[in-house]
Amino acid sequence: MQGTCHATPTVVVLTALSLEFQAVHEQLTDVRVVEHPHGTLFDVGRVPGLPWRVAVVEIGEGNSGAAAHTERAVAFFRPAAVFFVGVAGSLRSEVALGDVVVAGKVYLHHGGKEGDDGFRARPRAWEMRHDVEQRVRRALRGRTGVHFKPLVAGDVVLNSRTSPLADLIARTYSDAVAVDMESAGMAQAAHLSGVPVIPVRGISDFADGRKEITDAKGAQPAAARNAAAVAVRILRELPLPRSRPEPPAPRQAPAVVVVSPSAGRSDDTAGWRGGAVVTVDGEACLLHDDPDAPPTETVSPDHSVVRRQALARLLPGPGHVARFVWLRQVEASYHGPGAEAALRALSDEHDLLRELGGGPGVVHYGRRGGTATLALAWPVSRRSGKPCETLAELVRDDTEPLGAWRSHRVIRGLAASCRILGKLHDRGLAHRALEPAALVLGDDGSLFLRDLGLATTPPVPGEAPGPYQAPEQRRG
């Protein structure tokens, strides 16, 4: 699955520890595992009685990891809000064990300047968005043991009331009532993405040197459960995203698809040429020339099967959302073993993508008579608003050599894309059509398979494109 807009409103919940993850997980039903292209595993489920989809993940301790995973989750799910549900240490006697702190403000306590005259703090803080703050206050109104107060975060476990760090926090962040290790990283990343952030922390110790004692008494699991329960209560009051409902699409106005064929076509691609209007599953498709993303339309030797594929854009009409997709279509000219096998192969690819996870997201699959169509999500560049380029753009003869940093990112992207290939190999299947154009390059350097190639079709000698064939295929 790749980052796409979802009709179901989604929130992401980050947790640092296994017991925090479990506390949130216990609140969910209909849970399934969704794998990010880079391997992060999210458990996605629903809270009974609410329309929200909740994606929860365990990320480990620390602000830097929280920032990285927040950015990744925001790009992947495009959530309405990001929660952090976990435990924290109390800095005030009135904030007791088992109480919950919901942070209206988050401080980062490590910012400052060290000189001969000592350390001078340079505080950084992130405040909750006003409309979200109002909903949170309403959700917490009348609740005992729940505090809507600032907290402070850093990358050090504070377990002393007399250490230099404790003194710094008391002097510089005097209104903070709790301390943790992740909220600042999450808040900064979410702020840059424009997504509301809601840290919810159960108190499991007093940051006073007795943490081991309270941990041994089971304070952490109890605090995590309390925090998860408060997070669900807030979710019940949170009407996000704030968007006006769009009117339903008129039946006579189907979504338009813009497909990008190449300028240098053979006669085999005459059906999908630039400027032509075709129909895909009953919807009008406007074909447009673009040499950077050539489609193909090939006919089997016995003329029983036509296979097509092309990049497409679903234009936003009433009730529709703009998105780019990769279309794969099989059309059977007449019934026969070859035609049925080709149609079944596309259906099997759809089923495989659903089962494996981590590959291109399925936008649509349908079969009408002898024609089957599979539409897969194609990521969009946030910089240009256009479909992301493929790896072929980087390995052209006329492009400048890759610098060390970009080469490093591409190699990391290739390694990540190998996960889905490994899952295919575990099932005794191989892609068999890997070429630079089959790998889509994301803004962050990640690489996505645009499809599963020939994995669901029986091997044929000499198959697959040009110089990128496997050695045994090149030798026939």
Side-chain angles (χ1 to χ4, degrees):
M1 170 179 183
Q2 297 174 7
T4 57
C5 290
H6 302 280
T8 303
T10 302
V11 296
V12 168
V13 178
L14 305 182
T15 64
L17 307 176
S18 177
L19 59 92
E20 298 167 346
F21 175 89
Q22 188 61 34
V24 177
H25 201 282
E26 290 171 356
Q27 300 282 343
L28 306 180
T29 60
D30 302 324
V31 178
R32 62 188 180 92
V33 178
V34 174
E35 182 177 356
H36 186 276
H38 288 175
T40 305
L41 298 178
F42 295 87
D43 278 35
V44 180
R46 294 180 179 275
V47 176
L50 294 181
W52 294 93
R53 189 176 68 151
V54 178
V56 59
V57 62
E58 179 185 345
I59 64 171
E61 298 176 343
N63 280 299
S64 58
H69 283 88
T70 298
E71 185 174 8
R72 176 172 293 182
V74 168
F76 192 58
F77 289 104
R78 300 182 186 177
V82 179
F83 286 72
F84 205 112
V85 174
V87 300
S90 172
L91 299 174
R92 300 285 187 86
S93 59
E94 66 269 22
V95 180
L97 286 181
D99 282 6
V100 175
V101 174
V102 181
K105 180 191 295 183
V106 176
Y107 292 111
L108 174 64
H109 67 62
H110 273 140
K113 180 180 181 180
E114 187 77 41
D116 293 338
D117 56 348
F119 181 81
R120 294 181 180 273
R122 293 180 175 177
R124 297 195 64 187
W126 297 269
E127 295 193 20
M128 188 176 290
R129 204 172 74 186
H130 174 68
D131 61 320
V132 178
E133 174 200 336
Q134 290 294 296
R135 295 292 177 171
V136 171
R137 288 185 182 276
R138 176 178 291 273
L140 305 183
R141 196 168 293 153
R143 300 281 294 183
T144 59
V146 182
H147 310 268
F148 188 64
K149 297 286 186 179
L151 63 76
V152 61
D155 285 321
V156 175
V157 176
L158 180 62
N159 192 26
S160 170
R161 290 293 180 93
T162 60
S163 67
L165 177 57
D167 182 61
L168 169 69
I169 292 175
R171 286 186 290 104
T172 311
Y173 311 98
S174 59
D175 57 341
V177 302
V179 59
D180 70 31
M181 297 176 60
E182 297 83 25
S183 292
M186 176 191 68
Q188 182 178 21
H191 172 75
L192 294 175
S193 301
V195 177
V197 58
I198 307 173
V200 183
R201 294 288 183 162
I203 299 301
S204 62
D205 65 84
F206 290 102
D208 60 356
R210 296 182 295 170
K211 177 175 170 57
E212 291 78 7
I213 298 174
T214 55
D215 286 355
K217 292 181 177 179
Q220 282 194 332
R225 288 194 295 270
N226 292 348
V230 170
V232 170
R233 184 175 181 87
I234 292 172
L235 197 56
R236 294 184 186 278
E237 289 287 340
L238 210 59
L240 294 174
R242 297 182 301 160
S243 59
R244 296 178 181 176
E246 298 185 63
R251 294 188 178 183
Q252 68 273 18
V256 178
V257 179
V258 180
V259 181
S260 305
S262 65
R265 295 178 299 271
S266 67
D267 290 340
D268 286 341
T269 63
W272 281 33
R273 63 181 184 274
V277 176
V278 298
T279 300
V280 174
D281 282 357
E283 295 190 339
C285 302
L286 174 63
L287 309 188
H288 177 69
D289 281 325
D290 186 344
D292 291 333
T296 60
E297 180 172 305
T298 58
V299 181
S300 63
D302 63 356
H303 297 279
S304 66
V305 176
V306 180
R307 293 182 174 87
R308 305 182 182 95
Q309 59 185 24
L311 177 62
R313 183 178 182 225
L314 302 179
L315 295 180
H320 295 281
V321 177
R323 71 174 72 182
F324 289 91
V325 294
W326 177 246
L327 292 176
R328 282 162 72 78
Q329 187 178 80
V330 172
E331 181 181 352
S333 303
Y334 56 85
H335 293 293
E340 283 303 316
L343 291 166
R344 186 168 58 251
L346 197 63
S347 174
D348 290 345
E349 179 173 359
H350 164 260
D351 294 342
L352 262 179
L353 287 167
R354 291 290 194 189
E355 292 173 15
L356 296 178
V362 175
V363 175
H364 166 77
Y365 171 77
R367 177 172 174 178
R368 298 192 179 197
T371 301
T373 305
L374 176 64
L376 306 176
W378 189 291
V380 179
S381 171
R382 292 188 296 272
R383 292 189 294 267
S384 66
K386 297 179 180 179
C388 289
E389 298 172 342
T390 68
L391 188 59
E393 185 68 21
L394 297 184
V395 297
R396 288 181 176 177
D397 293 337
D398 58 348
T399 56
E400 296 182 4
L402 297 179
W405 173 239
R406 197 166 190 191
S407 296
H408 170 73
R409 293 179 68 184
V410 169
I411 291 171
R412 286 189 62 187
L414 286 170
S417 66
C418 286
R419 292 191 180 95
I420 185 71
L421 297 175
K423 291 181 178 181
L424 285 176
H425 294 174
D426 290 343
R427 295 177 178 237
L429 303 172
H431 189 284
R432 308 202 316 277
L434 276 176
E435 57 177 331
L439 292 161
V440 185
L441 185 64
D443 283 344
D444 60 354
S446 56
L447 284 167
F448 306 92
L449 288 174
R450 70 182 184 191
D451 54 49
L452 296 186
L454 302 174
T456 57
T457 62
V460 176
E463 68 184 357
Y468 302 101
Q469 292 168 314
E472 62 273 17
Q473 286 291 346
R474 293 200 68 178
R475 292 195 298 266

